[in-house]
Amino acid sequence: MGVQAYRFAIDPTPTQARALTAHCGAARFAFNWRLAVIKANLRQRAAERSYGIPDGRLTPPVSWSMYALRKAWNAVKDTVAPWWRDCSKEAFACGLERLAAALKSWSDSRAGKRKGRRMGFPSFRSKRNPALSVRFTTGAIRLDGRMHVLPRLGRIKTHESTRKLARHIAAGVATIASATVRREAGRWFVSFSVRIDRPRKAPTRPVAGMVKNRRLARAISDAGFTEIRRQLAYKTVWDGGRLVVADRWYPSSKRCSACGVAKAKLPLSARTFSCEACGLVIDRDRNAALNLASLVHDVAGSGPETETDVEPIVRPRRAGQVAPKRQPRTGQSGKTGTFAQQWANH
């Protein structure tokens, strides 16, 4: 599970742009409204202390928790903002959430619980600030081609397609956690905070890890099979080892690692190998690894003895097939095949 942000430039209509500005203003209003109440409460308590009133008899403090801020807003919103229904409730919740976070940062910084520079007490948000933003966490938030949908605002056009992200969401591997709309330098943008739930995969051995030269490792990680094999052969013999190359048609997956009987067919969708001859049931990849390890063992017992030899097991080359050039210190190289890597113990 991880979180990733996707940002798109958007092109709202004039009506939608006014509605977005109103929602940003609603978030600012909720922030400033409750901040004014908290500041008044703090001034009142400070004045009472100056008169010698004991702490137990001071005006009760105003809670800064998000729950308390929401509860207070819902109690007075019809009075302090009779127009609140013109905007999504998410806009007001956004302003209160930002206020709660700012107050907590100030309190933690003052108590020494927060690292970094000393945080000042929150100040009022100005309507003259050209940078506007509002955040949506619930309601109708979805993607549709070159459109995205936000609560109360409807479908808003994006400058680029959102289909790739939409496919991840439809496949169930991604979920939109929130959407934040911003106006920067006169342009509007939307950022989606997306929770990524990637399926677990079996551990792999990257080709980049086989080469110490990082630049070369990055290059061959996207290279073709022939280049990868050349590098593997060079690395293997350079370290005094030997590379055994299996024929590309060697039935490592279809052959039973226990009795040696091979299946006629084994589709890629079958991830478990079941042998009808001896009854062995084993993971497909582990069965292939055991077969390849057995092949390496057999060849190692009868193959060349010099450390620069590479022992290939290949079919006769077809007419017209050209073998790559022999590389220094690698012996034979370049025939088509798959690696017989010793992964049986993994």
Side-chain angles (χ1 to χ4, degrees), residues 20-28 91 94-95 98 125 129-136 179-184 188-189:
L20 286 172
T21 303
H23 277 69
C24 295
R28 184 187 67 250
C94 172
R98 289 172 177 173
R125 304 291 176 89
N129 189 346
L132 304 176
S133 67
V134 63
R135 183 168 178 257
F136 300 86
T180 303
V181 181
R182 302 179 186 277
R183 190 182 70 182
E184 301 173 2
W188 289 96
F189 300 88

Side-chain angles (χ1 to χ4, degrees), residues 124-302:
F124 293 109
R125 304 291 176 89
S126 173
K127 65 171 60 177
R128 296 182 178 84
N129 189 346
L132 304 176
S133 67
V134 63
R135 183 168 178 257
F136 300 86
T137 57
T138 62
I141 305 175
R142 61 180 184 273
L143 304 177
D144 183 12
R146 287 186 175 269
M147 297 282 184
H148 67 282
V149 181
L150 296 176
R152 297 298 300 272
L153 297 168
R155 292 159 57 88
I156 303 177
K157 183 179 179 181
T158 60
H159 282 282
E160 54 187 312
S161 176
T162 62
R163 287 190 178 92
K164 182 177 180 180
L165 177 57
R167 285 197 298 268
H168 292 326
I169 295 172
V173 298
T175 306
I176 295 179
S178 66
T180 303
V181 181
R182 302 179 186 277
R183 190 182 70 182
E184 301 173 2
R187 299 185 60 188
W188 289 96
F189 300 88
V190 62
S191 299
F192 296 101
S193 179
V194 179
R195 288 189 293 267
I196 306 296
D197 186 13
R198 294 184 177 89
R200 292 186 177 181
K201 296 181 180 180
T204 59
R205 295 195 174 187
V207 175
M210 298 179 182
V211 186
K212 291 184 178 180
N213 186 319
R214 293 183 179 180
R215 181 178 298 178
L216 180 60
R218 288 194 297 267
I220 70 169
S221 63
D222 294 327
F225 179 83
T226 302
E227 174 64 13
I228 294 174
R229 175 185 167 178
R230 187 185 72 81
Q231 291 291 336
L232 181 60
Y234 181 84
K235 183 67 175 177
T236 302
V237 299
W238 181 263
D239 290 338
R242 295 178 53 207
L243 175 65
V244 177
V245 183
D247 178 15
R248 80 162 16 170
W249 307 113
Y250 179 74
S252 59
S253 296
K254 298 179 182 179
R255 176 173 293 173
C256 177
S257 59
C259 67
V261 175
K263 291 178 176 287
K265 292 183 179 180
L266 183 65
L268 288 175
S269 58
R271 304 312 306 167
T272 301
F273 179 88
S274 300
C275 181
E276 292 80 3
C278 67
L280 175 69
V281 178
I282 189 174
D283 178 79
R284 175 198 183 108
D285 295 334
R286 178 167 176 77
N287 181 67
L290 289 170
N291 283 324
L292 291 172
S294 178
L295 174 66
V296 171
H297 182 270
D298 294 341
V299 173
S302 59

